[in-house]
Amino acid sequence: NAGVTQTPKFRVLKTGQSMTLLCAQDMNHEYMYWYRQDPGMGLRLIHYSVGEGTTAKGEVPDGYNVSRLKKQNFLLGLESAAPSQTSVYFCASSGDRGQPQHFGDGTRLSIL
Amino acid sequence: AQSVTQLGSHVSVSEGALVLLRCNYSSSVPPYLFWYVQYPNQGLQLLLKYTSAATLVKGINGFEAEFKKSETSFHLTKPSAHMSDAAEYFCAVRSYYGGSQGNLIFGKGTKLSVKP
């Protein structure tokens, strides 16, 4: 019963490097989300998807790109990492808008 | 636009004491409201949800929340705290506006400490 799986769990990057975070869900959910969590800020939505092949910007999209080529996967890319992107990133999925979202365990990303 | 305010970034209670975590929301339409819990180094887990049915909502681990429209509140309570309740708690409201319709808007979280 995997639910939402995020890889990698930890990563350290140097400024300017690029990387991709992978989110996979096995619940056949249409909606998927990427959040970042910073101390005292709660969770802020980066990008989201309402179905395979679709993506949309959230509250803090700058510096990130996403793709949803397959229904079960949602990728988050950092084109040129900056120290301000040091954060914990969470992926979530839901069967419908407004339904509870199921979260992965997060990716802890440090950018030096 | 909708918003969520959680009063108190840190709450400390003794084991066995009442837990009260406060959440106020702003919404011009009947809201869908959620409480999530996050244990250290884990993702968020749903505690309970309000979707315009009963105003008193019971969740997992003995938690419950009461929707009060007149006070625009959705406070989370538990009669007797356990050490295992130490975690961070997030209140969230469903967004109804614009292209983000249906997304969740989260409060900034309340970290609960339980003293033995």
Side-chain angles (χ1 to χ4, degrees):
Chain A
N1 190 15
V4 178
T5 302
Q6 293 183 234
T7 53
K9 297 188 184 305
F10 305 93
R11 187 72 183 268
V12 178
L13 290 179
K14 294 182 179 179
T15 298
Q17 287 185 318
S18 63
M19 79 161 295
T20 300
L21 281 64
L22 172 63
C23 176
Q25 54 95 1
D26 61 3
M27 296 170 284
N28 202 34
H29 284 168
E30 289 291 338
Y31 300 84
M32 297 188 74
Y33 311 84
W34 276 107
Y35 296 90
R36 60 177 290 173
Q37 183 180 28
D38 302 290
M41 302 291 288
L43 276 79
R44 293 181 292 170
L45 184 64
I46 305 172
H47 287 280
Y48 64 99
S49 168
V50 301
E52 181 178 317
T54 75
T55 63
K57 293 180 179 180
E59 180 186 356
V60 289
D62 293 343
Y64 305 96
N65 57 75
V66 288
S67 64
R68 183 102 180 264
L69 299 180
K70 294 183 178 180
K71 185 177 182 178
Q72 63 268 34
N73 295 337
F74 196 28
L75 278 63
L76 177 71
L78 282 71
E79 300 161 342
S80 179
S84 61
Q85 295 177 304
T86 293
S87 187
V88 182
Y89 292 86
F90 287 100
C91 177
S93 71
S94 67
D96 191 4
R97 280 175 165 168
Q99 293 301 308
Q101 295 180 12
H102 299 257
F103 284 79
D105 284 338
T107 294
R108 284 148 185 81
L109 182 61
S110 293
I111 301 171
L112 307 177
Chain B
Q2 287 143 299
S3 64
V4 171
T5 301
Q6 291 185 239
L7 300 176
S9 57
H10 289 86
V11 170
S12 182
V13 300
S14 297
E15 192 172 19
L18 171 72
V19 175
L20 171 60
L21 304 181
R22 300 178 186 273
C23 173
N24 288 89
Y25 68 91
S26 171
S27 178
S28 59
V29 298
Y32 279 20
L33 294 159
F34 305 83
W35 273 102
Y36 284 84
V37 60
Q38 183 182 31
Y39 299 103
N41 299 316
Q42 294 186 22
L44 278 68
Q45 300 174 31
L46 180 69
L47 270 179
L48 48 81
K49 64 179 180 180
Y50 168 77
T51 57
S52 73
T55 56
L56 182 63
V57 182
K58 294 188 182 299
I60 62 172
N61 301 337
F63 283 94
E64 62 182 34
E66 185 173 10
F67 173 72
K68 292 187 177 181
K69 183 178 178 180
S70 61
E71 299 178 7
T72 61
S73 69
F74 190 57
H75 300 334
L76 182 70
T77 60
K78 182 174 181 178
S80 177
H82 295 163
M83 298 296 292
S84 59
D85 294 327
E88 191 159 17
Y89 293 79
F90 293 92
C91 183
V93 64
R94 173 183 172 175
S95 171
Y96 278 89
Y97 298 99
S100 65
Q101 190 180 130
N103 293 337
L104 294 182
I105 299 169
F106 286 87
K108 294 185 177 182
T110 297
K111 193 163 290 187
L112 175 67
S113 300
V114 181
K115 299 175 292 187

